[in-house]
């Protein structure tokens, strides 16, 4: 059951919005994807509304399917977040960096520097990079398998945390009279000599305001969940079904407890995409306007990339045989591929219908309706223990954010499950400090 006093809300920023056709809307910001002022406007709007944090995803490679979608071509997140730190004061700032295609010392500096510049509002979304094409950008040879990637990630986190801990919180004395800026005895090397990394340390920066910036993780596989239980403060999940989300959160908490952590210190935030308007009909019209702009060729490619199943030989209005589809795909864990298969199994589904459902928010839950209906869903999930909050995926930006703020936030506040919060990011999320 619910154990938190308030709903946590993150804003997951994809430049034009999470619906794959959002860039085709007449007034979309498609031409402003590299314009810092556009992101400044989004960040200020989120902060003014009381959103807890903005989150930017990233991948160390350009995926091949970029002809019909803007989501694959993005700015480097920590550079962008540093710019946003200078124009915000309370908003959390979370960026993505890969443990497979980066070095721990560099990532430790990026995240720690952002935590200093933002006065304690930084977070790192830890990814191991599933896209095999990234290997060619780093001279890495073959892309490592999942277990190898997570073994490297485990050591990567050990090094990063060691570097962050290599300065005591009171190491800086700044004693002008004595001529002592730093007490060198309070800075120590880490002398890490591991399987993948050999890092002497110590770190070259003082301990940042949060000690350890927020750690976020989104892996849904078994090794991903185990990694999250040991290291993450927040987990982004993809469950569309409340019962599955409840089991997922309970499993995470049990694993965190087994790892010696307080289970309530690991937050589960499912993705949620909302089409909201004053009436149900208006909300449906917003969704249908976007769905009509979907390019089937692109959507079929997206489904093939996730599931391994090629639907290009089927007619767009042909009903998909879910048994045949699952047989062709084979068994998986409850990941994005299984969520797509579940969409087909929920009832008669055409290729066109599946393409549109996936285009709406990939495999995240989509809610369409007036404010009360949207708030009902969020409140039910929160109070039943299915989540600690939501990672918001506006279908189109900036309009989807403004709609949520105008219609849904007041309703959540009225119900007593959401309120504004202040302080450093860990404080806002009611998570333990790392001294």
């Amino acid at each position: 059951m619910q154990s938190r006093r308030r709903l946590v809300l993150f804003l997951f920023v994809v430049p034009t919005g999470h619906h794959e056709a959002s860039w085709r809307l007449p007034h979309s910001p498609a031409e402003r994807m590299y314009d810092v002022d556009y992101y400044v406007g989004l960040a200020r709007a989120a902060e003014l509304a009381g959103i807890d944090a903005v989150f930017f995803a990233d991948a160390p490679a350009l995926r091949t399917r970029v002809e019909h979608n803007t989501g694959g071509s993005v700015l480097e997140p920590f550079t962008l977040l540093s710019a946003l730190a200078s124009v915000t004061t309370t908003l959390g700032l979370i960026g993505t960096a890969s443990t497979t295609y980066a070095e721990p010392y560099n990532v430790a500096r990026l995240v720690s520097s952002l935590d200093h510049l933002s006065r304690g509002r930084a977070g790192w979304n830890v990814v191991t990079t599933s896209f095999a094409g990234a290997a060619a950008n780093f001279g890495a040879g073959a892309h490592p398998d999942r277990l190898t990637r997570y073994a490297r990630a485990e050591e990567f986190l050990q090094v990063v945390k060691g570097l962050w801990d290599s300065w005591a919180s009171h190491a800086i004395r700044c004693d002008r009279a004595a001529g002592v800026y730093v007490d060198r005895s309070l800075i120590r090397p880490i002398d890490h000599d591991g399987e993948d990394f050999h890092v002497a340390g110590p770190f070259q920066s003082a301990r940042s305001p949060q000690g350890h910036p927020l750690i976020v993780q989104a892996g849904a596989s078994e090794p991903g969940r185990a990694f999250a239980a040991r290291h993450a403060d927040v987990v982004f999940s993809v469950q569309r079904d409340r019962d599955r989300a409840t089991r997922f959160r309970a499993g995470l908490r049990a694993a965190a407890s087994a790892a010696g952590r307080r289970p309530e210190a690991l937050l589960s935030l499912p993705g949620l995409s909302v089409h909201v308007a004053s009436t149900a009909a208006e909300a449906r019209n917003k969704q249908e306007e976007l769905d009509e702009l979907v390019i089937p060729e692109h959507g079929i490619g997206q489904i093939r990339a996730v599931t391994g199943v090629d639907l290009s030989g089927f007619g767009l209005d042909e009903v998909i045989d879910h048994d045949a589809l699952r047989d062709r795909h084979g068994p998986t864990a409850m990941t994005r591929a299984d969520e797509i298969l579940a969409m087909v199994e929920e009832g008669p589904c055409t290729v066109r219908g599946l393409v549109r459902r996936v285009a709406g928010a990939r495999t995240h839950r989509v809610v369409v309706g007036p404010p009360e209906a949207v708030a009902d869903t969020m409140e039910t999930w929160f109070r039943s223990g299915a989540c600690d909050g939501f990672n918001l995926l506006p279908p189109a930006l900036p309009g989807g954010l403004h709609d949520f703020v105008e219609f849904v936030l007041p309703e959540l506040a009225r119900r007593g499950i959401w309120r504004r919060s202040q302080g450093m990011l860990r404080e806002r999320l009611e998570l333990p400090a790392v001294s």
Side-chain angles (χ1 to χ4, degrees):
M1 296 295 290
Q2 174 198 355
S3 60
R4 297 182 57 76
R5 295 187 297 275
R6 64 181 289 273
L7 195 69
V8 172
L9 296 176
F10 283 11
L11 174 66
F12 183 174
V13 178
V14 169
T16 64
H18 284 266
H19 195 291
E20 290 181 359
S22 59
W23 71 276
R24 300 186 66 195
L25 291 171
H27 303 295
S28 83
E31 292 83 6
R32 302 187 65 195
M33 287 180 53
Y34 301 99
D35 180 353
V36 68
D37 290 337
Y38 169 62
Y39 297 101
V40 166
L42 288 177
R44 283 176 167 165
E47 180 169 74
L48 183 64
I51 300 295
D52 292 300
V54 290
F55 160 60
F56 289 85
D58 193 41
L62 179 66
R63 295 180 182 270
T64 55
R65 292 174 303 281
V66 295
E67 298 92 335
H68 308 302
N69 183 259
T70 61
S73 173
V74 295
L75 292 166
E76 192 284 312
F78 285 94
T79 306
L80 176 56
L81 289 167
S82 294
L84 300 184
S86 68
V87 295
T88 56
T89 57
T90 62
L91 185 69
L93 305 166
I94 300 168
T96 300
S98 171
T99 58
T100 304
Y101 295 107
E103 289 294 320
Y105 197 93
N106 291 340
V107 171
R109 288 196 75 198
L110 281 174
V111 185
S112 174
S113 295
L114 181 61
D115 205 41
H116 279 293
L117 293 174
S118 66
R119 296 181 175 89
R121 296 184 281 131
W124 169 28
N125 177 45
V126 181
V127 299
T128 63
T129 303
S130 61
F131 181 49
N137 290 336
F138 297 88
H143 182 64
D145 62 34
R146 178 180 288 162
L147 291 179
T148 301
R149 297 198 310 271
Y150 272 106
R152 176 183 167 97
E154 188 74 30
E155 187 179 347
F156 197 110
L157 261 289
Q158 182 182 348
V159 174
V160 168
K161 290 179 178 180
L163 290 168
W164 286 342
D165 289 339
S166 65
W167 284 57
S169 59
H170 54 293
I172 295 180
R173 287 178 52 186
C174 202
D175 187 337
R176 291 177 173 84
V180 177
Y181 175 64
V182 170
D183 184 341
R184 192 63 179 78
S185 69
L186 299 178
I187 304 173
R188 57 177 180 78
I190 67 170
D191 294 325
H192 178 90
D193 186 18
E195 184 72 24
D196 288 300
F197 305 109
H198 308 277
V199 181
F203 207 34
Q204 68 194 97
S205 300
R207 194 171 182 84
S208 71
Q210 294 186 103
H212 289 185
L214 196 75
I215 299 295
V216 181
Q217 204 266 344
S221 65
E222 183 176 343
R225 294 194 301 271
F227 180 84
R230 290 189 295 273
H231 298 291
D233 301 299
V234 173
V235 172
F236 293 148
S237 64
V238 298
Q239 284 79 19
R240 296 176 302 111
D241 176 80
R242 180 162 58 91
D243 289 340
R244 285 205 302 268
T246 302
R247 291 194 296 271
F248 179 83
R249 179 174 177 261
L252 279 178
R253 289 185 156 213
S257 181
R261 300 178 60 196
R262 290 172 46 200
E264 63 272 17
L266 178 55
L267 310 184
S268 179
L269 304 187
L272 181 69
S273 185
V274 172
H275 299 265
V276 64
S278 57
T279 68
E282 289 178 85
R284 284 194 301 271
N285 287 341
K286 289 182 178 182
Q287 182 186 36
E288 290 167 3
E289 180 184 16
L290 285 164
D291 285 348
E292 288 296 324
L293 297 174
V294 169
I295 298 173
E297 173 192 351
H298 176 77
I300 288 171
Q302 294 288 83
I303 292 168
R304 182 172 58 246
V306 174
T307 67
V309 176
D310 187 359
L311 298 175
S312 61
F314 293 82
L316 288 177
D317 295 312
E318 186 173 345
V319 175
I320 301 171
D321 183 335
H322 60 79
D323 290 329
L325 186 66
R326 185 169 284 280
D327 289 344
R328 291 174 68 182
H329 174 63
T332 69
M334 181 50 69
T335 60
R336 293 185 189 278
D338 280 302
E339 288 291 342
I340 291 176
L341 295 172
M343 291 177 183
V344 176
E345 293 172 346
E346 287 166 3
C349 182
T350 65
V351 173
R352 188 191 309 275
L354 181 61
V355 164
R356 289 185 173 186
R357 290 188 71 178
V358 174
R362 297 173 302 284
T363 54
H364 295 280
R365 184 174 178 82
V366 177
V367 177
V368 184
E372 297 78 13
V374 174
D376 283 346
T377 295
M378 297 178 73
E379 181 176 19
T380 300
W381 278 53
F382 180 59
R383 292 196 185 280
S384 67
C387 67
D388 298 287
F390 294 93
N391 193 23
L392 300 173
L393 288 64
L397 285 171
L401 171 61
H402 298 323
D403 288 344
F404 185 87
V405 170
E406 177 185 356
F407 290 111
V408 183
L409 278 187
E411 184 65 21
L412 297 175
R414 186 185 68 78
R415 298 176 186 215
I417 58 173
W418 177 83
R419 58 175 172 76
R420 296 173 183 273
S421 184
Q422 300 294 322
M424 290 190 283
L425 185 54
R426 286 181 173 276
E427 292 177 283
R428 289 186 69 133
L429 304 185
E430 301 169 20
L431 292 172
V434 181
S435 59

